[in-house]
C-alpha cells in the first residue's frame, strides 16, 4: 500500500513540476510596444501619430518590394532582422500592397524630399513609402528603433517582436549630415571603418569624409606614386606601424558605404599637412630633399613646393586616381593651417588645384581658409573656426556663393575632451560635454550665415590621441548621435532637456550594439528592458 502511495505521490510531484516548468519555459519577456509616442526615435521624426495597437513580426512575415531595384534594400532589411529573431524573412517582388502580415516597401512621388519617408504600422501590416531608396533605408532605421533593443543582438532572442502602431512622416532638415574620420594621424583599418559606417547609418548620417593624408601618414594607394604608401604610409603618431588602404580595399569601403546610403568624400590635405608626401618624394620639396617621416602632433610646418610644375603633375595624378574611385560629387582638397605657405602662393595653389579637381569631373570641398582663393562654382567651404573671430572665412565663402558645411571646433569636434578628466582627446577648442555638442543650431551659429547658405553639418574626429576602435567609440558616442539629430530635425523641434531623455533610452541599443560610449552624467541613461512585463503565453496552464 505504502509503495503505491509513494509512487502516486512521485507521479503527482513530477506532473506539477513539469507543468510549472512548461509554464516557465512558455513565459516570454516582451517589450510592450503599444505606444508609439513613447518610442525614443533619434533623430526625432518630423511627425508621429500613434494608434495604440501593434504589429507582430513573426516567422511568417515577409518583406515585399514594389519593383526589382528595391530588392537589395529588402534583402538588407531581412538580413538586419534575422540574427535576433531567427526569422529568415523571404523577400518577394509584389506590384501592389500585398495581403496582410507583411512589410511592404514602395516608392512614390507624393513624398517631397529625396530622403523622406512615410512609415505606416497597422496590426495587419507595415508599409514604408519613399521618394527614393534612401528614404526607404531611413524608414528602416526608424523601424529598427521601434523594435525592442534586443533586435540588435547577434544571437536568437526568445522574444515577441511587437512594433507599436501608427504613422510616421519624416524628412531631414539638411541634406549633408556627416562625420569625418582622420585615418592619417593613427590608421584606422577597413573593418573598423565599416563598423563606424554601420553605426553612423543607424542614425541617418549620409556622408563620411575620410582625411586620407597628413604630416604623419598617407593612407590611400596611388599607383602612379607608390612610395606615398610604401614609405609615407609606414608609420603614424607615436611611431606605430601606420597602414593604408589599397585601391581594392578603398573601393570595397566605398561600396559598403553606398549600400548604407553613405557617400565617402576623400580628402587629400594640401598644401600644408603634407609631410608624408614630402618624405616620400624629394622632388615635391623646394630644396629637392625628402623630409624625414614625422610621428609627432605639431601642425603648420609643411608645404608642397607651390611654384614647381612637378607638384601639379603629382596632384593631377593623385586626383585622377582618387576621382576614379569616387562615385560622389566631391573631393576635399584640405587647405587648412598652411602656415608654411605664403598667402599669395597659397591662393595661386588653391586656384590651380580647383581646376585640376574640375578637370576630373569633381567639385571642391575645402577647409574654410580656401575662401581666400577664387572659389570654383558649387564649392563647399567647411567652417571649422575655433571662435567667432574666425568667421570671416565663412563670410568670404558666402560672398562667392559657396555653401557652408558647419563643423565648428567648439561644438562639433569629436576629438575634444568631454571634461578635464577625459584621458583621450584634445582641449584647444574647449571642453565639449554631450549637452554642449547638442545645444546649438547650424543656422544660428554664425551671424549673417543663414539656413540657405548652409549645406549641413559634419563632426570631425581627429586621431592624434585615438589609436583604435574603442578609443574612437568613446569620443564619438554619444555626441555624434546629437550631431545626427541637429542635421535631421528642425531646430524648432529640438530641446536638450527632451533630447537627453530620449538619448538615455538608447542605452539598451548602444549596449546591444556593444558600443564603448561615454557614460555622461548629464544623460539619464535608462534601461527600458526593465519596463517589459513578464507575460505567460495564452495557452499556459
Ligand atoms: N586642427 C587641424 C587638424 C587637427 C585638429 C585637432 C583642422 C581643420 C586641429 N585642422 O581642424 O589637423 O590637428 O583637433
Amino acid at each position: 500500500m505504502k509503495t503505491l502511495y509513494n509512487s502516486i505521490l512521485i507521479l503527482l510531484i513530477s506532473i506539477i513540476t513539469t507543468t510549472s516548468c512548461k509554464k516557465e519555459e512558455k513565459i516570454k519577456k516582451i517589450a510592450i510596444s503599444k505606444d508609439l509616442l513613447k518610442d525614443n526615435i533619434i533623430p526625432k521624426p518630423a511627425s508621429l501619430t500613434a494608434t495604440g495597437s501593434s504589429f507582430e513580426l513573426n516567422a511568417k512575415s515577409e518583406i515585399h518590394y514594389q519593383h526589382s531595384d528595391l530588392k537589395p534594400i529588402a534583402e538588407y532589411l531581412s538580413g538586419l532582422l534575422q540574427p535576433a529573431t531567427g526569422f529568415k524573412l523571404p523577400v518577394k517582388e509584389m506590384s501592389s500592397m500585398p495581403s496582410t502580415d507583411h512589410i511592404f516597401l514602395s516608392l512614390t512621388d507624393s513624398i517631397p524630399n529625396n530622403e523622406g519617408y512615410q512609415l505606416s504600422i497597422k496590426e495587419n501590416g507595415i508599409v514604408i513609402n519613399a521618394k527614393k531608396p534612401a528614404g526607404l533605408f531611413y524608414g528602416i532605421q526608424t523601424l529598427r528603433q521601434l523594435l525592442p533593443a534586443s533586435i540588435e543582438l547577434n544571437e536568437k532572442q526568445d522574444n515577441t517582436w511587437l512594433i507599436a502602431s501608427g504613422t510616421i512622416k519624416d524628412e531631414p532638415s539638411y541634406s549633408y549630415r556627416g562625420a569625418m574620420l582622420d585615418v592619417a594621424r593613427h590608421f584606422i583599418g577597413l573593418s573598423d571603418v565599416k563598423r563606424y559606417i554601420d553605426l553612423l547609418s543607424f542614425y541617418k548620417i549620409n556622408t563620411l569624409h575620410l582625411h586620407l593624408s597628413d604630416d604623419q601618414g598617407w593612407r590611400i594607394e596611388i599607383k602612379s606614386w607608390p612610395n606615398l604608401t610604401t614609405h609615407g604610409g609606414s608609420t603614424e603618431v607615436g611611431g606605430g606601424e601606420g597602414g593604408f588602404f589599397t585601391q581594392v580595399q578603398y573601393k570595397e569601403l566605398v561600396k559598403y558605404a553606398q549600400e548604407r546610403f553613405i557617400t565617402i568624400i576623400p580628402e587629400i590635405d594640401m598644401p600644408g599637412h603634407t609631410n608624408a608626401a614630402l618624405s616620400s618624394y624629394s622632388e615635391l620639396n623646394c630644396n629637392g630633399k625628402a623630409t624625414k617621416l614625422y610621428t609627432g602632433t605639431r601642425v603648420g610646418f609643411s608645404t608642397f613646393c607651390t611654384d614647381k610644375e612637378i607638384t601639379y603633375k603629382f596632384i593631377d595624378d593623385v586626383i585622377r586616381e582618387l576621382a576614379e574611385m569616387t562615385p560622389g560629387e566631391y573631393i576635399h582638397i584640405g587647405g587648412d593651417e598652411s602656415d608654411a605657405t605664403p598667402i599669395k602662393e597659397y591662393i595661386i595653389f588653391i586656384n590651380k588645384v580647383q581646376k585640376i579637381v574640375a578637370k576630373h569631373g569633381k567639385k571642391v570641398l575645402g577647409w574654410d581658409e580656401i575662401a581666400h582663393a577664387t572659389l570654383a562654382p558649387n564649392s563647399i567651404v567647411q567652417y571649422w573656426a575655433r571662435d567667432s573671430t574666425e568667421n570671416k572665412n565663412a563670410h568670404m565663402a558666402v560672398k562667392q556663393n559657396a555653401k557652408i558645411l558647419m563643423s565648428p571646433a567648439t561644438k562639433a569636434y569629436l576629438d575634444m575632451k568631454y571634461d578635464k578628466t577625459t584621458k583621450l582627446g584634445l582641449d584647444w577648442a574647449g571642453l565639449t560635454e554631450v549637452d554642449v555638442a547638442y545645444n546649438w543650431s547650424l543656422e544660428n551659429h554664425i551671424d549673417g550665415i543663414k539656413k540657405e547658405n548652409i549645406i549641413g553639418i559634419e563632426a570631425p574626429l581627429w586621431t592624434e590621441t585615438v589609436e583604435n576602435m574603442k578609443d574612437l567609440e568613446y569620443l564619438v558616442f554619444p555626441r555624434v548621435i546629437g550631431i545626427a539629430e541637429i542635421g535631421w530635425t528642425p531646430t524648432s523641434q529640438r530641446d536638450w532637456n527632451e533630447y537627453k531623455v530620449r538619448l538615455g533610452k538608447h542605452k539598451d541599443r548602444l549596449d546591444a550594439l556593444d558600443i564603448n560610449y561615454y557614460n555622461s552624467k548629464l544623460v539619464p541613461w535608462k534601461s527600458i528592458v526593465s519596463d517589459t512585463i513578464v507575460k505567460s503565453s495564452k495557452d499556459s496552464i
Side-chain angles (χ1 to χ4, degrees):
M1 185 55 188
K2 200 159 169 7
T3 355
L4 179 63
Y5 171 74
N6 280 346
S7 55
I8 290 170
L9 191 62
I10 288 163
L11 185 62
L12 259 178
I13 289 167
S14 67
I15 288 169
I16 292 165
T17 26
T18 328
T19 321
S20 65
C21 284
K22 239 172 85 188
K23 190 166 175 242
E24 197 53 40
E25 92 197 359
K26 284 211 172 68
I27 281 179
K28 291 183 176 179
K29 267 186 172 272
I30 60 169
I32 284 289
S33 297
K34 290 269 185 199
D35 184 352
L36 194 56
L37 291 169
K38 278 227 195 83
D39 278 291
N40 306 280
I41 303 163
I42 304 179
K44 186 179 179 182
S47 87
L48 180 150
T49 317
T51 50
S53 183
S54 62
F55 170 83
E56 181 179 339
L57 184 73
N58 58 51
K60 293 193 299 302
S61 302
E62 297 178 355
I63 299 170
H64 297 163
Y65 55 92
Q66 189 187 31
H67 39 77
S68 58
D69 59 4
L70 301 184
K71 184 175 183 188
I73 203 154
E75 287 172 336
Y76 165 81
L77 175 56
S78 179
L80 212 56
L81 298 173
Q82 185 175 351
T85 62
F87 309 151
K88 189 164 176 29
L89 302 185
V91 297
K92 292 178 183 165
E93 184 163 347
M94 197 74 69
S95 56
S96 63
M97 182 61 197
S99 59
T100 58
D101 284 336
H102 301 307
I103 298 174
F104 184 58
L105 309 176
S106 84
L107 298 182
T108 164
D109 276 337
S110 65
I111 301 236
N113 186 295
N114 283 342
E115 293 180 288
Y117 65 90
Q118 178 170 322
L119 172 60
S120 161
I121 303 148
K122 294 189 173 73
E123 279 179 21
N124 66 351
I126 292 178
V127 178
I128 308 181
N129 275 319
K131 185 183 182 102
K132 302 268 184 201
L136 294 177
F137 183 82
Y138 296 132
I140 287 169
Q141 301 317 313
T142 298
L143 189 58
R144 255 172 105 172
Q145 292 191 15
L146 297 176
L147 280 157
S150 51
I151 192 67
E152 301 303 339
L153 295 171
N154 284 326
E155 57 279 342
K156 189 175 177 311
Q157 307 299 309
D158 178 17
N159 207 340
T160 303
W161 302 99
L162 293 177
I163 300 169
S165 65
T167 302
I168 290 176
K169 290 181 184 159
D170 201 6
E171 63 177 39
S173 185
Y174 287 92
S175 60
Y176 187 129
R177 302 178 306 283
M180 184 214 85
L181 180 58
D182 165 14
V183 296
R185 277 43 185 271
H186 279 97
F187 183 58
I188 307 283
L190 191 60
S191 58
D192 288 338
V193 180
K194 282 182 172 180
R195 171 170 162 81
Y196 194 28
I197 286 168
D198 280 334
L199 299 176
L200 291 171
S201 65
F202 181 42
Y203 287 103
K204 303 189 176 85
I205 282 189
N206 64 10
T207 308
L208 177 61
H209 161 188
L210 287 177
H211 185 78
L212 292 166
S213 67
D214 211 299
D215 291 319
Q216 298 86 348
W218 186 285
R219 306 296 182 206
I220 178 66
E221 176 194 9
I222 299 294
K223 295 186 185 313
S224 47
W225 297 75
N227 290 357
L228 290 171
T229 41
T230 53
H231 176 72
S234 65
T235 186
E236 58 192 356
V237 168
E241 63 178 10
F244 62 90
F245 297 118
T246 64
Q247 294 202 357
V248 168
Q249 289 171 326
Y250 185 77
K251 287 172 188 169
E252 184 185 326
L253 198 55
V254 168
K255 181 171 175 295
Y256 190 85
Q258 255 178 332
E259 288 161 354
R260 289 149 185 81
F261 296 88
I262 286 190
T263 300
I264 297 266
I265 297 184
E267 178 188 353
I268 300 296
D269 202 348
M270 48 187 158
H273 287 274
T274 43
N275 184 71
L278 297 167
S279 177
S280 304
Y281 288 99
S282 57
E283 58 269 48
L284 298 177
N285 297 268
C286 284
N287 63 6
K289 288 199 190 83
T291 59
K292 286 194 178 2
L293 287 172
Y294 177 68
T295 59
T297 56
R298 283 187 304 110
V299 297
F301 60 87
S302 56
T303 179
F304 279 149
C305 190
T306 54
D307 54 11
K308 269 179 149 181
E309 261 324 293
I310 185 77
T311 299
Y312 301 98
K313 160 87 177 91
F314 165 79
I315 292 168
D316 188 76
D317 288 340
V318 169
I319 298 295
R320 171 176 45 77
E321 291 194 36
L322 215 42
E324 283 160 11
M325 300 186 281
T326 300
E329 289 181 282
Y330 284 88
I331 283 181
H332 198 302
I333 62 171
D336 63 310
E337 298 180 318
S338 299
D339 305 344
T341 318
I343 183 65
K344 280 218 284 299
E345 289 177 34
Y346 172 87
I347 290 171
I348 294 165
F349 174 85
I350 294 293
N351 287 338
K352 285 183 175 177
V353 170
Q354 288 183 91
K355 289 188 173 61
I356 292 172
V357 171
K359 169 185 162 191
H360 293 291
K362 298 300 173 186
K363 296 170 185 169
V364 164
L365 213 172
W367 298 105
D368 60 42
E369 293 95 321
I370 67 165
H372 289 283
T374 307
L375 294 174
N378 304 305
S379 297
I380 298 175
V381 165
Q382 185 162 11
Y383 170 83
W384 67 285
R386 171 176 179 173
D387 55 39
S388 57
T389 55
E390 295 164 323
N391 293 347
K392 62 183 183 321
N393 292 348
H395 286 111
M396 282 197 288
V398 165
K399 278 208 188 76
Q400 298 194 60
N401 298 317
K403 288 287 187 189
I404 304 294
L405 175 62
M406 293 294 287
S407 300
T410 51
K411 304 286 185 188
Y413 268 33
L414 301 176
D415 62 316
M416 289 305 117
K417 292 176 185 290
Y418 290 102
D419 62 25
K420 57 184 186 314
T421 68
T422 312
K423 291 184 178 52
L424 292 169
L426 304 173
D427 60 7
W428 65 269
L431 300 173
T432 311
E433 248 291 358
V434 179
D435 58 339
V436 171
Y438 181 83
N439 237 343
W440 63 289
S441 75
L442 304 183
E443 63 277 6
N444 300 316
H445 189 74
I446 310 174
D447 289 345
I449 304 286
K450 299 182 289 299
K451 191 167 189 317
E452 65 259 25
N453 306 122
I454 296 168
I455 191 159
I457 188 169
E458 184 181 285
L461 177 75
W462 299 102
T463 57
E464 279 92 338
T465 65
V466 172
E467 297 188 20
N468 54 47
M469 196 60 190
K470 285 292 166 215
D471 292 353
L472 181 155
E473 292 177 7
Y474 185 80
L475 286 175
V476 166
F477 290 94
R479 288 180 292 190
V480 78
I481 301 173
I483 295 291
E485 178 148 311
I486 291 170
W488 184 278
T489 306
T491 305
S492 58
Q493 304 299 313
R494 290 196 300 109
D495 167 77
W496 163 252
N497 288 312
E498 184 276 332
Y499 168 75
K500 70 180 180 185
V501 175
R502 244 177 319 126
L503 176 61
K505 299 238 177 108
H506 270 235
K507 172 180 173 20
D508 294 336
R509 291 180 195 282
L510 301 180
D511 290 342
L513 289 164
D514 194 23
I515 296 175
N516 179 42
Y517 60 94
Y518 165 63
N519 202 349
S520 171
K521 292 180 189 54
L522 302 181
V523 178
W525 299 107
K526 188 173 185 311
S527 168
I528 46 182
V529 171
S530 52
D531 286 358
T532 63
I533 62 161
V534 174
K535 172 174 173 281
S536 60
S537 61
K538 291 182 278 306
D539 53 3
S540 63
I541 310 295

